[in-house]
Structure formats: structure tokens, C-alpha cells
Amino acid sequence: MTPARIVVVGTGYVGLTTGACLASLGHSVTCADVDRAKVSRLAAGRVDILEPGLADLVARGIAAGRLQFVVGAREAVRDAQAVFLCVPTPMGAGGSADLRAVEAVAAEIGDVLPAGCALVTKSTVPVGTSKRIQEMLGRADVPVVSNPEFLREGTAVADFLGPDRIVVGSDDRAAAQWVGELYAELDAPLVVADAASAELVKYAANCYLALKLSYVNSIAELCERLGADIDLVTEGMGYDRRIGRTFLKPGPGWGGSCLPKDTSALVKVAESVNYDFRMLTSAIDENIAQRDRIVAKIAGAVGGTLAGARIGVLGLAFKAGTNDLRDSPALAVSSVLCALGAELVAYDPAVDGGIDGMTLVDDAYQVAKDADVVVVLTEWAEFKQLDWRAMAELMEGIDVVDTRNLLDPRVIVDAGLSWQGVGRPRAAARISVS
């Protein structure tokens, strides 16, 4: 396909990845943002987001002259062939998606978009948003296309350049097909749909993953009560091709920038058409229950009362490979522990700065000093490489609560500590008898 002139509005995870990757496919891309300081840093090739391969892709795009950064979108879109909206759509009042940023950009640029320019919603938006934007624009010569993203933090570049599928949808099928052809260099199935179907795909996919995670956390709880091992159970499940191996790892609950807001938004969309999506609301309730079960497990490790307990926390980001704290289950658990009077000392290799209610340190071993219990809340691989004998010498207590089943229980026990995971048999410390 002939390289296109593309403007990407918003330079967060989705926008910056979209812009840098489209530039790597040969398109001429301008990324626009309202944050002047951020634009200045990006123009100099400085990327604040921790995302493997992204900084290199940005640097190469700038060097090749195919990627630039500007403040404000209005002037940038005047000669664009496609404008991608990659602005935040956070959870709003009552759980619905907050579309104010999307609508503000559409209102700002609507009258200066060139005829035939495709206005593409990359942000996750509820069904009906394309139609709503089309009505706002009041322009039949500017097609609105839904092109949902399926990027995972920590693997966003790889996901963009090696996608499972590309979904585009519009009531103008020719416009949807043209947007799909922007990805012609990628070897992936192209799904061309109507606008409503394309918008629903993203919610349907994310909410299914949330259901799967809540389900495996429920099975893990059953394992603990029945004396089974979740690792063996999920191994047996995962060989079934109808189920697969992904999203079968229990943990402290699901979170991040997508699943909490998308599950809530789809419940609200269902309510708007008088459908009680009980399966999804149950998954949300189960996620909250999982957090509370983890808190209870930690409380049990310190004798039942968290008030005054010193707890060492390993990991704060919502998952390993990112510095994103948005709706982090690690923070959700930590906040409850703080509210119940515990003293928290935390370490995360990608997180710095202050977090209310806890002391943040820059070394994992400081977490263990005088700790009544050490808790693993994010699955950073480096925690497996710690000298757990040294950790044990620093601790006051002997319990390690591993909410990610990350550590080898034998290593923990050999260090003179007890290990508790999720859905797995407890490994108790060996008590020496003199």
C-alpha cells in the first residue's frame, strides 16, 4: 500500500505504540498531545513508558523522518488521510466509559479534517460511539472507523507488529477496508465489520479474559479447601485445545488499565438495553473477593491481626514488565493492608517516587528487614533470584505469601521460611530440634 499521512492524537501506551509502529510500517506519522513537556521529551527520543522495544522504535522513526511530535491536533490534521484517536476513556461516574476526551478531540478537529480523511477510534469505546461521533461531526465526507487495539502492556510492540487479528469496522465499508490496508505489511487476519460489531469485539474479548481469570481464582480457592494443587489442575486443563493455557494463572486479582474499566463499561452497556449480565457482574464480585482472600491469607500469616504488623511487599505494578500502577491489584491489596493498620515497606524494580501509606525502598532486601511477613504481589522474575537465606536472616517472621506462585517453595523452605501460594499446598519451614 502507498504510505499514508497519519495523525495519532494522544501519546499514552496506545497512542505512542500506534504511532511508532505505523511509522515502522512506512507511513508518515505525526503524534499530537496537549502536554508540551511530554511532546518535547518524545521529540528528543526520550520515552517515559517502560515498554520493551518502544524507545528504539521511536528513535528509528524520528531518524527516518517518518515520526514527529507536535503540541495540539488541530493544525496537524489539516492534510491527514487518517486520524487515530488514542485518548483515555477511563471509567466514569457509575461505571460507564468516560468519552469526554474523545468527544473533545472530535469537536476540536471536526471542521478542519480534509474530505475523505478517516477518523479512527483506537481508544476503547462503547458500542454506538462511531455513530455518535459521526453525528457530532455532521460531515458525510469524513468516515468514522472503529479499529480497536489489542495491546498488552509489556508486549505492546510485539502485539502490534505480530497481531492475532486486525479488526476494523464502519458503516462505510470502503473506509473500513482502507484503514485495514494500512496494516498490509503485517501477516494477520483482517476482520472487516460494521461499526457496532467492531466496537463490541474489544469489550467481548477483554471481558472474556476477566471471566477466565476470575474462574481460575475460584478454582484455586477450591484447591486450597480440597487439598488439590492449582498448578496440576491448570496443566490438565490447558492441554484441552478448547481451553488453552493462557490466563489460567491465579493471582491477587485482575487489574490494569483495561479489564476493570471495560468490564464495568460492558455491564453498563448491557443495562442500557435491559440485559442483566449476571455472569460478568459475578466475575467482578469474585475479583473483589479474591483481593479479600489474599488479605485474609496475609493476616493469618501474622497471627490474625494486621494492626502494627510490618509487611514487606515485593511488587507494586499491575504486572511484571511495566511501571503502570493503574488499577494494580498489588496496590489494591496494599491499600487494604494499610487501612487495617499494617506498616508496609515495598519494592518494585520499575516504580519509584512516593506512594501514600507505605515506605518505598530501592532494594528488595530492605523489604525483608524486620518484616513479620514478606508478600509477593507482582511476578517480577528477579524475585526468584533473591538470596532467600539472606532474606530470612533479615526477617522477624518466617512466612512468605506468594500471591503469584512465582517462587520455588523448596528454595523458600531451605532458607528456613514457610511458603504460601494461591491454590497450592503450603510448604512449612523445617523446625530444627537441638
Side-chain angles (χ1 to χ4, degrees):
M1 180 183 182
T2 303
R5 298 185 304 278
I6 297 172
V7 172
V8 175
V9 183
T11 58
Y13 272 98
V14 174
L16 187 57
T17 302
T18 297
C21 288
L22 286 173
S24 76
L25 297 180
H27 301 296
S28 176
V29 181
T30 299
C31 291
D33 202 286
V34 295
D35 186 333
R36 288 183 177 275
K38 186 178 185 181
V39 167
S40 178
R41 291 194 301 272
L42 288 171
R46 298 199 301 274
V47 176
D48 299 329
I49 297 169
L50 178 61
E51 192 63 51
L54 184 56
D56 180 58
L57 215 57
V58 168
R60 283 192 281 152
I62 293 171
R66 291 195 299 267
L67 182 63
Q68 62 176 326
F69 298 90
V70 300
V71 176
R74 187 172 171 85
E75 292 304 315
V77 304
R78 289 182 182 274
D79 66 345
Q81 293 172 283
V83 175
F84 283 75
L85 301 184
C86 300
V87 294
T89 53
M91 189 187 304
S96 298
D98 184 345
L99 297 177
R100 285 179 296 180
V102 171
E103 293 172 349
V105 174
E108 177 191 358
I109 66 176
D111 64 329
V112 295
L113 290 169
C117 176
L119 185 58
V120 185
T121 56
K122 198 72 170 170
S123 304
T124 302
V125 295
V127 175
T129 301
S130 291
K131 182 177 180 181
R132 186 170 171 179
I133 294 174
Q134 195 78 66
E135 291 171 350
M136 282 181 59
L137 293 176
R139 294 186 57 179
D141 61 341
V142 174
V144 178
V145 179
S146 173
N147 176 213
E149 53 85 14
F150 301 99
L151 307 179
R152 298 166 297 170
E153 291 185 35
T155 58
V157 171
D159 290 341
F160 192 104
L161 297 177
D164 294 326
R165 76 294 202 193
I166 296 160
V167 177
V168 289
S170 177
D171 295 335
D172 182 335
R173 188 174 180 85
Q177 187 70 44
W178 182 82
V179 170
E181 289 171 0
L182 295 174
Y183 300 91
E185 293 296 316
L186 304 180
D187 182 20
L190 176 63
V191 179
V192 179
D194 57 274
S197 297
E199 289 167 341
L200 187 54
V201 166
K202 177 60 184 293
Y203 283 107
N206 272 3
C207 291
Y208 176 76
L209 297 178
L211 287 166
K212 198 171 181 182
L213 288 169
S214 284
Y215 179 78
V216 78
N217 280 335
S218 297
I219 294 297
E221 179 64 16
L222 277 181
C223 285
E224 292 190 16
R225 298 188 185 201
L226 297 172
D229 187 325
I230 190 64
D231 280 5
L232 298 176
V233 172
T234 54
E235 181 182 3
M237 292 170 61
Y239 282 112
D240 190 324
R241 286 172 292 179
R242 299 168 301 173
I243 297 172
R245 296 177 179 275
T246 58
F247 282 75
L248 284 182
K249 291 186 68 67
W254 40 265
S257 61
C258 293
L259 296 191
K261 74 180 182 67
D262 290 353
T263 50
S264 179
L266 189 56
V267 167
K268 288 299 178 181
V269 168
E271 288 177 357
S272 73
V273 289
N274 299 314
Y275 177 65
D276 182 6
F277 207 152
R278 285 175 289 178
M279 183 183 297
L280 189 53
T281 55
S282 293
I284 296 169
D285 292 342
E286 169 59 28
N287 197 48
I288 296 170
Q290 180 69 359
R291 177 202 64 193
D292 294 340
R293 287 194 290 264
I294 295 296
V295 170
K297 191 184 294 282
I298 297 167
V302 297
T305 302
L306 286 162
R310 185 177 175 91
I311 299 175
V313 173
L314 292 173
L316 293 170
F318 96 91
K319 71 173 184 177
T322 177
N323 57 358
D324 196 350
L325 296 172
R326 289 176 293 176
D327 278 304
S328 167
L331 280 186
V333 169
S334 297
S335 66
V336 175
L337 296 173
C338 289
L340 293 173
E343 177 188 350
L344 268 62
V345 178
Y347 166 75
D348 188 292
V351 177
D352 53 22
I355 297 178
D356 290 343
M358 68 183 75
T359 301
L360 208 60
V361 295
D362 58 8
D363 177 76
Y365 293 97
Q366 295 179 54
V367 159
K369 184 173 174 54
D370 299 325
D372 296 308
V373 60
V374 168
V375 183
V376 177
L377 288 172
T378 308
E379 68 281 21
W380 288 100
E382 69 176 67
F383 298 155
K384 293 192 290 186
Q385 308 306 319
L386 293 173
D387 181 342
W388 281 95
R389 290 183 182 274
M391 294 282 281
E393 291 175 2
L394 291 166
M395 290 175 63
E396 182 71 25
I398 63 167
D399 285 287
V400 175
V401 177
D402 183 1
T403 72
R404 299 285 188 167
N405 292 348
L406 175 73
L407 308 175
D408 184 341
R410 294 169 298 182
V411 171
I412 304 305
V413 170
D414 287 347
L417 300 170
S418 290
W419 178 90
Q420 290 186 71
V422 177
R424 299 194 65 202
R426 177 172 178 158
R430 300 190 184 100
I431 306 298
S432 61
V433 179
S434 57

